[in-house]
Amino acid sequence: MAGKAPRIQADIVRRIVALENANSKAVVHYNIGRAVDTFGRSEGDSGSPEVQAAVWTVRINNLEDHLRTNRKDHQNRRSYTKLLHKRAKMLKYLKRESLERYYLCLKQLGLTKDMVEGEILQPKRVE
């Protein structure tokens, strides 16, 4: 019985600190950390264009979910549009610097070329 108690306690602690019990800010923070780990060119890299685009993509996805439920939140809609343009500018810079890294980053982020190039038209409401 003594061998089971530490396992049970460990299981209880694991359930308490699980990500599914976290608030939305903690989930976004975790996702940003994963993006930095995935796209960083070295350990602790947070400034490369790939990492910045990945972090902004996480934030954009979070804002899209928020705007689906809060249709009249115009301030966050503006923030969403600004982030879209920031990401597009960063990816255009990456394309100028290294075409191979640009296409690899687009593929890993699940973006298309149309999402980055040309005019970004934003609908009034995210459906």
Side-chain angles (χ1 to χ4, degrees):
M1 188 71 180
K4 289 185 179 181
R7 278 190 272 152
I8 292 172
Q9 288 177 346
D11 187 46
I12 290 171
V13 170
R14 195 174 317 118
R15 279 192 253 152
I16 290 172
V17 297
L19 195 59
E20 58 204 25
N21 295 330
N23 61 4
S24 64
K25 187 173 183 176
V27 172
V28 169
H29 182 70
Y30 173 76
N31 288 336
I32 287 174
R34 280 187 46 207
V36 170
D37 291 342
T38 303
F39 288 91
R41 295 164 70 188
S42 63
E43 189 173 334
D45 176 23
S46 61
S48 66
E50 298 96 330
V51 172
Q52 291 183 37
V55 168
W56 289 329
T57 301
V58 168
R59 292 182 59 199
I60 286 168
N61 291 339
N62 186 43
L63 276 174
E64 280 178 355
D65 292 341
H66 172 77
L67 291 173
R68 279 191 193 99
T69 57
N70 302 292
R71 296 180 184 275
K72 294 186 177 184
D73 189 354
H74 300 296
Q75 180 61 42
N76 278 325
R77 185 168 315 281
R78 176 162 164 68
S79 299
Y80 173 74
T81 304
K82 286 169 66 174
L83 280 175
L84 283 175
H85 286 276
K86 261 181 147 175
R87 181 180 69 185
K89 283 170 58 176
M90 184 58 66
L91 288 171
K92 285 178 189 176
Y93 166 78
L94 183 60
K95 184 177 181 182
R96 269 195 324 266
E97 295 300 313
S98 172
L99 202 58
E100 181 181 321
R101 286 172 37 205
Y102 168 76
Y103 283 115
L104 181 65
C105 186
L106 281 184
K107 182 180 177 187
Q108 288 179 333
L109 289 175
L111 302 174
T112 62
K113 196 171 151 184
D114 298 333
M115 292 178 173
V116 178
E117 298 174 359
E119 184 178 359
I120 299 175
L121 296 174
Q122 183 56 39
K124 292 192 180 210
R125 293 188 176 166
V126 177
E127 299 294 328

